[in-house]
Amino acid sequence: GRKGGHKGRARQYTSPEEIDAQLQAEKQKAREEEEQEEGGEGATGDPKKEKKSLDSDESDEDDEDYQQKRKGVEGLIDIENPNRVIQTTKKVTQLDLDGPKELSRREREEIEKQKAKERYMKMHLAGKTEQAKADLARLAIIRKQREEAARKKEEERKAKDEAAMAGRRMQSLSLNK
């Protein structure tokens, strides 16, 4: 019959007991590291208490597995997949609302765009941008034109007044004769 897989050696599977033992060893290692970080206060504790907490963790995990709603054939087949990540729901007390919120790329770009626009408007109002300089030059030209137009109007009005006064003098002189 068969001589084995075409990729070489025969496959080896890990038993569920070995996987559980590895997980417990990792949890215990993590707890020891936490205790060392805290200053060794938990290192002098009873090993019985640690064992009880380990047992209670296992029972809680088992309860959570059975409480989750199983889809399709999952309820009939018990799966032991070490790569499977079980989604856990967080309680409101566990949520970290004070921590920094991660923004999406679009949100970050939108904020950057608004900040850039605000900076440009500040520069524009200060007259430091090219557009602001052009606008100020245009305004200066318009002011000069308006001043000249106002001066010309004033001169024309004075000339009219003088012509009217001269006409009245002539008329009064002619009447006096």
Side-chain angles (χ1 to χ4, degrees):
R2 296 223 165 203
K3 295 182 180 178
H6 68 282
K7 291 188 177 179
R9 298 189 179 104
R11 297 178 192 261
Q12 294 179 347
Y13 297 100
T14 309
S15 68
E17 293 83 22
E18 290 178 18
I19 293 172
D20 289 339
Q22 288 174 355
L23 288 174
Q24 286 181 359
E26 288 176 8
K27 286 181 184 178
Q28 190 171 5
K29 194 175 191 180
R31 283 196 185 109
E32 289 173 1
E33 289 175 2
E34 287 177 8
E35 289 174 358
Q36 288 175 357
E37 288 176 5
E38 291 175 359
E41 294 173 7
T44 59
D46 293 335
K48 294 177 184 176
K49 290 181 181 178
E50 290 179 14
K51 200 158 217 169
K52 285 182 183 176
S53 65
L54 283 176
D55 293 341
S56 65
D57 287 345
E58 288 177 11
S59 64
D60 289 343
E61 289 174 6
D62 292 340
D63 292 342
E64 289 174 7
D65 287 341
Y66 289 114
Q67 288 175 357
Q68 289 180 352
K69 187 174 183 181
R70 298 186 177 230
K71 299 177 186 174
V73 191
E74 279 186 39
L76 302 174
I77 302 172
D78 193 25
I79 300 172
E80 291 289 336
N81 185 356
N83 296 326
R84 183 169 175 238
V85 178
I86 300 171
Q87 292 181 348
T88 57
T89 56
K90 290 186 177 181
K91 295 180 181 176
V92 177
T93 56
Q94 293 175 340
L95 292 178
D96 185 22
L97 299 176
D98 297 333
K101 182 183 172 191
E102 292 292 324
L103 299 175
S104 68
R105 180 184 54 83
R106 286 185 182 167
E107 291 171 334
R108 266 186 273 119
E109 288 176 355
E110 187 67 29
I111 291 171
E112 288 172 7
K113 191 186 293 184
Q114 288 175 353
K115 286 182 180 178
K117 193 172 185 179
E118 289 174 10
R119 270 186 304 214
Y120 179 80
M121 289 306 293
K122 284 181 183 177
M123 297 274 289
H124 186 73
L125 292 174
K128 295 181 181 177
T129 62
E130 296 296 323
Q131 187 177 1
K133 290 176 183 175
D135 289 346
L136 291 173
R138 207 171 23 244
L139 282 173
I141 292 170
I142 291 172
R143 281 188 190 131
K144 286 181 184 176
Q145 290 174 349
R146 288 182 180 169
E147 287 174 5
E148 290 174 8
R151 197 176 326 116
K152 284 180 184 178
K153 271 188 180 178
E154 187 66 30
E155 289 174 4
E156 288 176 5
R157 190 178 57 81
K158 285 182 182 178
K160 270 189 182 178
D161 287 345
E162 288 177 10
M165 290 297 276
R168 286 185 191 158
R169 285 187 203 145
M170 290 287 243
Q171 195 176 28
S172 65
L173 285 178
S174 63
L175 289 177
N176 284 341
K177 278 190 178 182

